[in-house]
């Protein structure tokens, strides 16, 4: 059994069992993109199987390959239907027993199994996860299991088309301060990712049913943290102040794929005191992202036209921890 050349092996699986329910595939794809992006571990092998690709043979083959050449750290993520027997793949169920056999062969690796599951509820209305998950946790002390019953959220600003748990988990990975240093690099650990996701679920959606954990969490570095320094770079390409104290901004981001970035403006007076401010969050999906946006300031926040001279917009591109990628300023266009 030869060890993997990579430090991390990530396997993301998303299977939409019901045609009208598409978020399992988006869950898996976006988690895969995050780990394959600039915040991912520097030495990583990642696989993503979506929909029809996630057959029993394909998934079992990937798990066998991981077990045959185990790296130091393994994350296996599944989003989709769980039955009382196992995980429902594109063609048939992967039994929990078979999953356990493959995980057992990964002895010596730190393994985290993240499950975002569509399941049925018992008649009394209490959420229930399949019993085989508890059996896996009892039989495999080297595996940490985070499991949640999926609740869908809408596309757009509320949930970006993910389930609630995965949306919270993605946010926790992107935005949490690092708590684990490995070879001089600060990482978000499996412990912090789970705890932060649970906190986000409680704060954002008031979830009474939080994800469950089994196994000894902690010590597994997942994603690099921007807490010390931003990754990639960004430029404000052009600022154009328009009538009515509006502002058009063109910007460029490089090397920040899947990493949230904030574009923020202040409208300041001659004493550099803020009169108004606003921001948008950008989530680039390419390594080189070009964009533009327009800000409009409520005229009721502005001084009278006769006293409007000297107003300026200050604009900044920042990462999630406030590190400034670029800043520019431009004078407000004079009123006619």
């Amino acid at each position: 059994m030869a060890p993997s050349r990579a430090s991390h092996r990530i396997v993301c699986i998303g299977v939409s069992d019901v045609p009208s329910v598409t978020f399992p595939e988006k869950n898996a794809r976006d988690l895969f993109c995050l780990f394959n992006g600039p915040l991912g571990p520097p030495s990583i092998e990642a696989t993503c199987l979506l929909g029809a690709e996630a057959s029993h043979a394909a998934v079992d083959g990937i798990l066998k390959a991981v077990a045959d050449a185990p790296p130091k750290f393994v994350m296996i993520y599944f989003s989709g239907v769980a039955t009382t027997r196992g995980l429902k793949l594109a063609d048939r169920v992967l039994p929990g027993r078979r999953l356990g056999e493959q995980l057992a062969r990964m002895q010596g690796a730190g393994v985290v199994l993240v499950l975002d599951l569509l399941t049925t509820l018992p008649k009394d209305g209490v959420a229930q996860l399949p019993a085989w998950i508890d059996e896996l946790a009892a039989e495999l002390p080297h595996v940490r299991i985070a499991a949640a019953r999926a609740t869908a959220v809408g596309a757009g600003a509320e949930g970006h088309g993910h389930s609630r748990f995965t949306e919270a988990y993605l946010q926790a990975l992107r935005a949490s301060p690092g708590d684990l240093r490995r070879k001089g690099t600060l990482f978000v650990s499996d412990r912090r990712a789970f705890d932060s996701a649970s906190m986000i679920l409680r704060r954002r959606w008031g979830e009474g049913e939080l994800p469950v954990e089994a196994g000894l969490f902690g010590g597994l570095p997942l994603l690099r943290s921007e807490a010390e320094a931003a990754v990639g770079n960004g430029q404000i390409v052009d600022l154009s102040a328009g009538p009515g104290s509006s502002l058009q901004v063109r910007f460029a981001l490089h090397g920040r794929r899947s990493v949230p970035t904030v574009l923020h403006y202040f409208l300041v007076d001659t004493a550099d005191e803020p009169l108004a401010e606003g921001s948008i969050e950008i989530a680039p999906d390419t390594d080189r992202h070009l964009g533009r946006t327009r800000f409009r300031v409520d005229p009721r926040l502005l001084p009278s036209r006769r006293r409007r001279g000297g107003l300026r917009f200050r604009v900044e591109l920042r990462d999630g921890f406030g590190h400034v990628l670029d800043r520019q300023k431009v004078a407000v266009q004079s009123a006619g």
Side-chain angles (χ1 to χ4, degrees):
M1 187 185 298
S4 170
R5 294 181 180 179
S7 64
H8 288 67
R9 189 71 164 88
I10 311 297
V11 180
C12 296
I13 305 162
V15 183
S16 298
D17 183 61
V18 181
S20 61
V21 178
T22 60
F23 66 80
E25 295 183 12
K26 183 165 175 52
N27 282 346
R29 182 189 302 112
D30 288 357
L31 190 70
F32 169 80
C33 289
L34 182 60
F35 273 91
N36 254 350
L39 293 181
S43 176
I44 182 174
E45 292 181 22
T47 302
C48 187
L49 296 172
L50 303 175
E53 300 171 335
S55 66
H56 184 282
V59 172
D60 193 58
I62 289 292
L63 296 179
K64 181 179 183 303
V66 175
D68 286 344
K72 191 162 187 179
F73 307 110
V74 177
M75 170 185 268
I76 299 167
Y77 171 88
F78 176 85
S79 180
V81 173
T83 73
T84 55
R85 292 179 51 236
L87 302 176
K88 193 168 184 180
L89 301 178
D91 51 354
R92 59 192 178 98
V93 169
L94 175 69
R97 171 186 50 78
R98 178 58 180 169
L99 175 60
E101 290 171 357
Q102 297 286 31
L103 293 173
R105 296 180 59 230
M106 299 177 196
Q107 291 282 355
V111 182
V112 60
L113 179 63
V114 181
L115 303 172
D116 197 343
L117 304 174
L118 288 159
T119 63
T120 58
L121 289 172
K123 291 182 179 179
D124 62 5
V126 178
Q128 180 177 326
L129 294 172
W132 58 263
I133 295 177
D134 290 330
E135 294 168 4
L136 284 184
E139 295 169 2
L140 302 170
H142 68 293
V143 177
R144 315 109 196 264
I145 301 176
R149 189 176 63 89
T151 304
V153 295
E158 184 182 0
H160 305 288
H162 304 128
S163 68
R164 289 183 180 179
F165 171 58
T166 295
E167 171 70 12
Y169 200 74
L170 286 165
Q171 185 177 334
L173 287 168
R174 289 171 177 142
S176 295
D179 62 320
L180 183 62
R181 192 171 293 278
R182 177 174 167 78
K183 295 183 178 179
T185 301
L186 196 60
F187 282 81
V188 177
S189 73
D190 57 318
R191 173 78 277 161
R192 176 151 291 180
F194 182 89
D195 290 345
S196 296
S198 299
M199 187 182 304
I200 291 165
L201 280 168
R202 188 182 298 111
R203 183 179 66 240
R204 186 167 178 183
W205 288 291
E207 285 287 276
E209 180 195 330
L210 293 173
V212 298
E213 62 174 298
L216 188 61
F217 275 67
L220 198 159
L222 295 180
L223 222 63
R224 287 182 285 182
S225 170
E226 284 196 291
E228 292 181 322
V231 300
N233 57 74
Q235 295 85 36
I236 297 169
V237 177
D238 181 65
L239 294 179
S240 178
S245 297
S246 63
L247 177 69
Q248 181 171 278
V249 185
R250 291 196 298 120
F251 56 89
L253 300 173
H254 306 271
R256 293 187 61 79
R257 176 167 52 89
S258 300
V259 183
T261 309
V262 176
L263 181 65
H264 190 97
Y265 81 86
F266 286 103
L267 178 63
V268 299
D269 61 17
T270 53
D272 218 32
E273 290 295 324
L275 301 174
E277 64 177 307
S279 64
I280 61 167
E281 184 177 285
I282 307 156
D285 56 5
T286 59
D287 289 323
R288 185 171 183 268
H289 177 89
L290 304 177
R292 69 173 63 200
T293 191
R294 182 178 292 276
F295 295 111
R296 286 185 171 84
V297 177
D298 186 340
R300 292 173 296 181
L301 300 174
L302 302 176
S304 65
R305 289 188 178 185
R306 285 179 296 178
R307 297 174 51 241
R308 202 172 290 183
L311 301 188
R312 301 184 312 281
F313 281 107
R314 290 204 322 250
V315 183
E316 294 181 343
L317 272 173
R318 309 171 180 166
D319 73 358
F321 290 89
H323 302 123
V324 177
L325 303 169
D326 193 16
R327 58 164 58 97
Q328 300 285 342
K329 58 186 177 181
V330 65
V332 170
Q333 192 177 96
S334 300

